[in-house]
Amino acid sequence: MNLIGHGVPEISLAMAEQAKQLEFVHTSQFTTPVAEQYAQELIEFAGENFRGGSVYFTCGGSESVETALKLARQYQVEIGQSKRHQVLSRTQSYHGSTLGALAVSGNKRRREIYLSMVREFAHVGVPYCYRCQYDCTDSCRNCGQQYAAELENALASAQGQAAGFILEPVSGATLGAVVPPPGYLQTIAEVCRHHGVLLMADEVMTGMGRTGRNFAMDHWGVAPDILIAAKGLSSGYAPLGAVIASKKVVDGIRSGAFLHGLTYNAHPVSLAAGRAVLQHLQGRRLVQAADSGGGQTVAAKLESSLSSLVQLKTVGDVRGIGLLRGVELVSDKPSKHPFDPQLNFASRVTAAALERGLLVYPIQGCVDGVAGDHLLIAPPAVITAEQIDWAVAQLAEAIDEAAARVP
Ligand SMILES: Cc1ncc(COP(=O)(O)O)c(C=O)c1O
């Protein structure tokens, strides 16, 4: 997802300059100045808890998740915990398209036909307060702890065989920008530590400023052992992903050699793009622009404008943080009853929005993996207040038009 906007000349110039000097070398034998410099800059960007850590560069989100799964396993083997091989995850989640990433994902539609091909470990529930299965009357403090207790129980049942737990701190596509309840992530981190399990934050969607912090985990002051990034890392200018490992993980790999490799790891031209994107987003203070709690920012404007959509007959919930927002569409608001999945209501709204010149991301399955329609909205941080007003007006019309056409 693009945070910096299209056609920024510094990015293509940096890529061309790198290609002129050195287009590629294989990481099995070489490193490059761009890889060394960019890794240091990313570690700085990831914050205090990653000092002394390392970065492994890939070509995207799924590759980064695969890399992180293997890193967690090798870490456990090298610290003498060779029984630990399971990676637990959450039910309504998406971690990528490759088989390992699909195994830990919970997105029913995207996994269904491949399930017989993957090795599955336990999935625990995701706090989703609009449709919570627990009591949410205390501003969701209780329900966050109930969901954390699900992890505690699952790890106890894993009997010392769990290597890691992976989660999206703010749900991306599958649930549509669902923000965790207070205290949940802090307890999750404690539970993981107590069980000797690595906490892996999949920030492919939420990282690199999208939610108004460098990484979304920063909102809750929680330090994962492994951070996974892609999308915003290069803002789409080149295929790029990264796994940022904390010092604890790096020190654990005593052999010093991670048993993993992809030919196009740390591709210099992609890294030059990523480095230039990082400089650009820092120079333009785009993380600050994406902070919806930061005063008069475009993210605050997006939050207040989108909140007007709850007045519409078919909008059940408007949620999210920073520049990652979700709009859940329902056929009956008081009962939160979803549309018949056959209607594909989210896609109908998307088509009506497209006719007006507005692009949104439609997804189905937020209720139970099949039913439930929502839209994901994630503009670049260079969007203006006027563009937000225009976009929200178009979206309101598109939702009403699609609702009027439901048979
Ligand atoms: C949270 C999350 N993880 C992983 C991925 C997979 O990334 P990619 O499509 O770059 O392989 C995605 C893609 O949408 C994602 O949202």
Side-chain angles (χ1 to χ4, degrees), residues 60-63 65 94-96 168 202 204-205 230-231:
S62 304
E63 273 188 13
V65 169
Y94 181 62
H95 297 292
E168 297 162 271
D202 179 348
V204 167
M205 192 149 316
K231 296 194 196 284

Coordinates of all heavy atoms in Angstrom, one line a residue, residues 60-63 65 94-96 168 202 204-205 230-231, ligand 1:
G60 N 8.7 -9.2 -0.7 CA 7.3 -8.9 -0.4 C 6.8 -9.5 0.9 O 7.6 -10.0 1.7
G61 N 5.5 -9.4 1.1 CA 4.9 -9.8 2.4 C 4.9 -11.3 2.7 O 5.3 -11.7 3.7
S62 N 4.4 -12.0 1.7 CA 4.4 -13.5 1.9 C 5.8 -14.1 2.1 O 6.0 -14.9 3.0 CB 3.7 -14.2 0.7 OG 2.5 -13.7 0.5
E63 N 6.7 -13.6 1.4 CA 8.1 -14.1 1.5 C 8.6 -13.7 2.9 O 9.4 -14.5 3.5 CB 9.0 -13.5 0.5 CG 9.1 -14.2 -0.8 CD 10.2 -13.6 -1.7 OE1 11.0 -12.8 -1.3 OE2 10.1 -14.0 -2.9
V65 N 6.8 -13.3 5.6 CA 6.2 -14.2 6.6 C 6.8 -15.6 6.6 O 7.2 -16.1 7.7 CB 4.6 -14.3 6.4 CG1 4.0 -15.4 7.2 CG2 4.0 -12.9 6.6
Y94 N -4.9 -12.6 7.9 CA -4.3 -12.9 6.6 C -2.8 -12.6 6.7 O -2.4 -11.5 7.0 CB -4.9 -12.1 5.5 CG -4.3 -12.4 4.1 CD1 -4.4 -13.7 3.6 CD2 -3.6 -11.5 3.4 CE1 -3.8 -14.0 2.3 CE2 -3.0 -11.8 2.2 CZ -3.1 -13.0 1.6 OH -2.6 -13.4 0.4
H95 N -2.0 -13.6 6.3 CA -0.5 -13.4 6.4 C 0.1 -13.7 5.1 O 1.4 -13.8 5.0 CB 0.1 -14.3 7.5 CG -0.4 -14.0 8.9 ND1 -0.1 -12.8 9.5 CD2 -1.3 -14.6 9.7 CE1 -0.7 -12.7 10.7 NE2 -1.4 -13.8 10.8
G96 N -0.6 -14.0 4.0 CA 0.0 -14.1 2.7 C -0.5 -15.4 2.0 O -1.2 -16.2 2.5
E168 N -1.6 -9.8 13.3 CA -1.6 -8.5 12.7 C -2.1 -7.6 13.9 O -3.2 -7.8 14.4 CB -2.7 -8.4 11.6 CG -2.4 -9.3 10.4 CD -3.7 -9.4 9.6 OE1 -4.5 -10.4 9.8 OE2 -3.9 -8.6 8.7
D202 N 3.0 -9.2 12.3 CA 2.9 -9.0 10.9 C 2.4 -7.6 10.6 O 1.2 -7.3 10.7 CB 1.9 -10.1 10.3 CG 1.8 -9.9 8.8 OD1 2.2 -8.9 8.2 OD2 1.2 -10.8 8.2
V204 N 2.8 -6.0 7.7 CA 2.9 -5.8 6.2 C 1.9 -4.7 5.9 O 2.2 -3.8 5.0 CB 2.5 -7.1 5.5 CG1 2.3 -6.9 4.0 CG2 3.7 -8.1 5.7
M205 N 0.7 -4.7 6.5 CA -0.2 -3.6 6.1 C -0.1 -2.4 7.0 O -0.3 -1.3 6.6 CB -1.6 -4.2 6.3 CG -2.6 -3.3 5.7 SD -4.1 -3.9 4.9 CE -4.1 -5.1 3.9
A230 N 6.4 -5.0 4.7 CA 6.4 -5.0 3.2 C 5.6 -3.8 2.7 O 5.9 -2.7 3.3 CB 5.8 -6.3 2.6
K231 N 4.7 -3.9 1.8 CA 3.9 -2.8 1.3 C 4.5 -1.4 1.4 O 5.2 -0.9 0.5 CB 2.5 -2.9 1.9 CG 1.7 -4.2 1.5 CD 0.3 -4.0 1.9 CE -0.5 -5.4 1.9 NZ -0.8 -5.9 0.6
Ligands
LIG1 C1 -1.0 -8.5 7.0 C2 -0.5 -9.1 5.7 N1 0.5 -10.0 5.7 C3 1.0 -10.5 4.6 C4 0.5 -10.2 3.3 C5 1.1 -10.8 2.1 O1 1.9 -9.8 1.4 P1 2.2 -10.0 -0.2 O2 0.9 -9.8 -0.9 O3 3.1 -8.8 -0.4 O4 2.8 -11.3 -0.4 C6 -0.5 -9.2 3.2 C7 -1.0 -8.8 1.9 O5 -2.1 -8.2 1.8 C8 -1.0 -8.7 4.4 O6 -2.0 -7.8 4.4

